[in-house]
Amino acid sequence: MYFASKRQDLPFPGVFGLFAAFIMACGTTHLLGAVTLWQPLYWVDGAVKGATALVSVPTAVALWYLLPRALALPSPAQLETANRNLLREIEEHRKTELQLREANLLLDERVRARTALLQSILDTVPDAMVVIDASGIIESFSSTAERLFGYGADEVCGRNVAMLMPPSYSEEHDRYIERYIRTRERRIIGNVREVSGQRRDGTVFPMELSIGEVLHADRQLFTGFIRDLSERRRANDRLQELQTELIHVSRLSEMGQMATMVAHELNQPLTAITNYMNGGVRLLESEGDPRARLREAMERSAAQALRAGRIIKRLRDFVSRGEIERRFEPVSALIAEAAELASLGIRQKDLLIEVDHVAPDAAILADRIQLQQVLFNLLRNAAEAVAEQEQRSVAINARLDGSDVVISVIDNGPGISPEVQDRLFQPFVSTKENGMGVGLSICQAIIVAHDGRIWAEANPAGGTIFRIVLPRVQDTEKT
Ligand SMILES: Nc1ncnc2c1ncn2[C@@H]1O[C@H](COP(=O)(O)OP(=O)(O)OP(=O)(O)O)[C@@H](O)[C@H]1O
Ligand SMILES: [Mg+2]
């Protein structure tokens, strides 16, 4: 009993109590067996024997019940082995944990390196990056974006991306995303578009936007790459200004060349007017009724005055700089005017420019003065090319080609000289003694600005053909 009470970890402590009671009862039975030799205490002996029997029954039952379990209890040797195994397992576990921690550190390091790399790329690309979620809320804002828009990332993250757009765009934006998610119809995603952005200070600027789509941890995100176009736009404007300036200057120099021709040309109507007037005076002084002939003389002189006026007006139009203005222009009228203008400016009096109206209803959207400048330059080049020919021929015509208008200037000169062939449209390329070499470069600049093309080809009949292709507009598209 003492042992059982001291060893608290003992399994089945109850059975120890039963054993103790059984041993005590047995011992007492034997002791009383000896005592009854001298004293006849049979009743006591009987009672103790009964008690022993009573204790032995539960002890036997308990043993019967506990024996398989007691057998299952590990022996100290077994416990020792188990213990050793356990220690080894613990050691292995510790090692694995250490390895795992090292691998984790390595992974962390790699992720950090990759993130840093990505960040440095995002920081150095000229594009700003803004990531938004499906409801337009800003998730991330690169440092370039911070510089571009003037907001810090912490100020914009969590707010709607509409704050980066002028109000006219921002209202549409939510609808764009909503429609995309609903229809999956790609209007902007995957494309590059030019839109407007708004900086913190309220200034609106042109920007190029390309949007990509990412699925991140089951969430749909949109990444916007933004490029500031202000600088490019400014450079373009400057170029445009310079070009306009160049065209203007070249027109002025043409003017100088044309001045003598114009003086001569104006002389004709003026002389005619003077003659009609003198004739009229003589008619008034003569006998009879001069009215019918006087009327005719006056009408003719009025027509000549109008002609002189037209010549001056055309010249003024040609020289004045004016804003570039595109209008609906019938091509045949453009060609006729340019041919007339060229006839004035060309020194060879007996050269006739043949105008061929193949497509009388062809029309283009053009700045009339600029287009005249082009045709004038081409016709002047053609006239200069044929100057030395015996049979001189310069012709201009227009024809339709699908949705285009093709204007051709044809001469029978010597053809393009091989030394300038490849650089024809570059400025300051000339084979002429007094040529500046800017005519064709101006032509090209103007035609390209009108969404057209210009090139030279050899004339099968000898000489050169310059062709201009411009998009045709229909009467209904008039602006
Ligand atoms: N119809 C043509 N036939 C042959 N050569 C031509 C013709 N048109 C142009 N060229 C060649 O192309 C060159 C460049 O022409 P461009 O009109 O640009 O300059 P340019 O006529 O020499 O000088 P300008 O600045 O006075 O027009 C000419 O010098 C000439 O050699
Ligand atoms: Mg020229």
Side-chain angles (χ1 to χ4, degrees):
M1 287 302 289
Y2 177 75
F3 175 74
S5 73
K6 280 293 165 196
R7 286 289 299 267
Q8 291 295 327
D9 60 337
L10 219 54
F12 326 126
V15 87
F16 279 84
L18 283 174
F19 274 138
F22 182 67
I23 290 167
M24 287 295 287
C26 255
T28 315
T29 314
H30 291 298
L31 192 67
L32 276 174
V35 169
T36 46
L37 288 180
W38 295 282
Q39 289 283 331
L41 294 170
Y42 296 113
W43 278 105
V44 177
D45 187 36
V48 171
K49 276 187 178 145
T52 309
L54 269 180
V55 172
S56 74
V57 171
T59 308
V61 170
L63 267 181
W64 176 259
Y65 175 69
L66 287 175
L67 206 60
R69 296 184 187 201
L71 281 176
L73 282 179
S75 68
Q78 278 174 323
L79 276 178
E80 178 94 350
T81 328
N83 209 13
R84 263 203 307 279
N85 286 346
L86 205 64
L87 278 176
R88 204 166 35 231
E89 259 174 41
I90 288 174
E91 178 61 17
E92 259 165 35
H93 191 76
R94 211 177 51 81
K95 267 192 208 152
T96 322
E97 207 178 75
L98 218 66
Q99 280 169 350
L100 211 64
R101 203 171 303 153
E102 267 168 25
N104 237 344
L105 277 175
L106 206 70
L107 204 68
D108 263 5
E109 187 61 33
R110 276 197 199 156
V111 169
R112 240 197 312 277
R114 289 288 295 271
T115 315
L117 180 69
L118 200 67
Q119 192 60 47
S120 72
I121 291 173
L122 286 179
D123 286 349
T124 46
V125 288
D127 295 2
M129 195 189 73
V130 179
V131 179
I132 60 169
D133 70 7
S135 50
I137 300 300
I138 300 173
E139 294 253 328
S140 113
F141 202 67
S142 75
S143 51
T144 319
E146 290 182 325
R147 280 196 297 278
L148 181 60
F149 287 97
Y151 290 105
D154 48 338
E155 291 172 281
V156 292
C157 286
R159 295 178 61 186
N160 196 295
V161 70
M163 69 185 288
L164 306 176
M165 309 167 189
S168 53
Y169 278 92
S170 59
E171 281 158 23
E172 272 176 60
H173 190 265
D174 282 350
R175 263 181 290 138
Y176 268 140
I177 304 186
E178 189 265 330
R179 186 175 48 209
Y180 173 67
I181 290 173
R182 192 159 36 83
T183 64
R184 294 277 137 191
E185 190 186 325
R186 290 177 170 236
R187 283 175 192 241
I188 320 173
I189 290 168
N191 298 331
V192 179
R193 299 193 322 145
E194 267 193 49
V195 293
S196 297
Q198 189 168 34
R199 294 185 223 272
R200 179 189 211 136
D201 61 12
T203 50
V204 174
F205 65 98
M207 60 185 227
E208 193 178 81
L209 174 68
S210 52
I211 297 181
E213 192 189 359
V214 214
L215 211 63
H216 174 66
D218 270 0
R219 268 159 34 92
Q220 184 160 36
L221 297 176
F222 299 97
T223 48
F225 285 93
I226 296 156
R227 186 167 294 184
D228 187 358
L229 292 184
S230 326
E231 196 42 52
R232 199 193 292 175
R233 184 87 40 105
R234 265 198 294 276
N236 256 347
D237 287 353
R238 260 202 305 277
L239 200 69
Q240 195 94 44
E241 252 168 49
L242 280 176
Q243 224 164 50
T244 316
E245 190 63 34
L246 180 65
I247 290 170
H248 180 59
V249 166
S250 100
R251 264 209 299 266
L252 286 180
S253 81
E254 309 271 21
M255 249 301 275
Q257 292 183 21
M258 280 171 78
T260 43
M261 293 303 133
V262 169
H264 179 256
E265 195 73 9
L266 273 180
N267 235 358
Q268 278 184 7
L270 289 178
T271 313
I273 290 169
T274 315
N275 289 343
Y276 287 130
M277 288 301 159
N278 287 338
V281 171
R282 273 199 304 277
L283 275 173
L284 281 175
E285 287 164 353
S286 65
E287 302 287 307
D289 184 2
R291 271 187 293 181
R293 296 188 61 198
L294 200 56
R295 183 194 180 91
E296 194 194 332
M298 285 182 76
E299 273 170 3
R300 288 201 177 170
S301 75
Q304 289 299 318
L306 282 178
R307 184 181 159 203
R310 265 207 314 277
I311 293 171
I312 289 167
K313 179 178 182 304
R314 199 149 299 154
L315 202 71
R316 214 180 29 229
D317 281 357
F318 188 69
V319 175
S320 76
R321 173 154 165 196
E323 281 306 299
I324 295 165
E325 210 177 343
R326 289 197 194 170
R327 289 165 191 261
F328 181 87
E329 298 286 350
V331 175
S332 56
L334 272 179
I335 288 182
E337 278 177 10
E340 201 177 329
L341 206 59
S343 302
L344 281 177
I346 292 164
R347 270 163 242 257
Q348 309 156 45
K349 283 284 92 187
D350 53 341
L351 175 70
L352 190 76
I353 297 174
E354 206 179 304
V355 181
D356 199 355
H357 297 286
V358 183
D361 56 344
I364 53 174
L365 211 56
D367 183 276
R368 190 168 63 92
I369 307 290
Q370 287 198 342
L371 248 287
Q372 274 181 8
Q373 170 100 18
V374 171
L375 299 179
F376 179 85
N377 275 333
L378 295 182
L379 287 169
R380 193 159 59 82
N381 278 351
E384 284 165 358
V386 298
E388 303 293 305
Q389 303 301 105
E390 254 181 43
Q391 284 282 319
R392 289 173 284 179
S393 148
V394 171
I396 180 166
N397 69 52
R399 66 181 162 80
L400 293 178
D401 181 14
S403 58
D404 291 327
V405 177
V406 184
I407 300 173
S408 308
V409 176
I410 306 156
D411 69 62
N412 70 341
I416 307 272
S417 124
E419 57 185 292
V420 294
Q421 182 124 34
D422 299 335
R423 302 173 292 135
L424 218 47
F425 295 97
Q426 288 176 16
F428 312 117
V429 169
S430 177
T431 53
K432 297 169 196 168
E433 211 170 295
N434 297 318
M436 281 225 297
V438 295
L440 287 179
S441 67
I442 289 171
C443 289
Q444 193 182 44
I446 292 174
I447 294 301
V448 168
H450 281 78
D451 304 318
R453 285 180 300 128
I454 177 171
W455 70 93
E457 48 188 73
N459 183 357
T464 312
I465 304 177
F466 273 87
R467 290 203 204 277
I468 297 168
V469 175
L470 289 164
R472 178 192 186 194
V473 288
Q474 306 282 334
D475 210 14
T476 47
E477 298 170 45
K478 255 187 199 179
T479 51

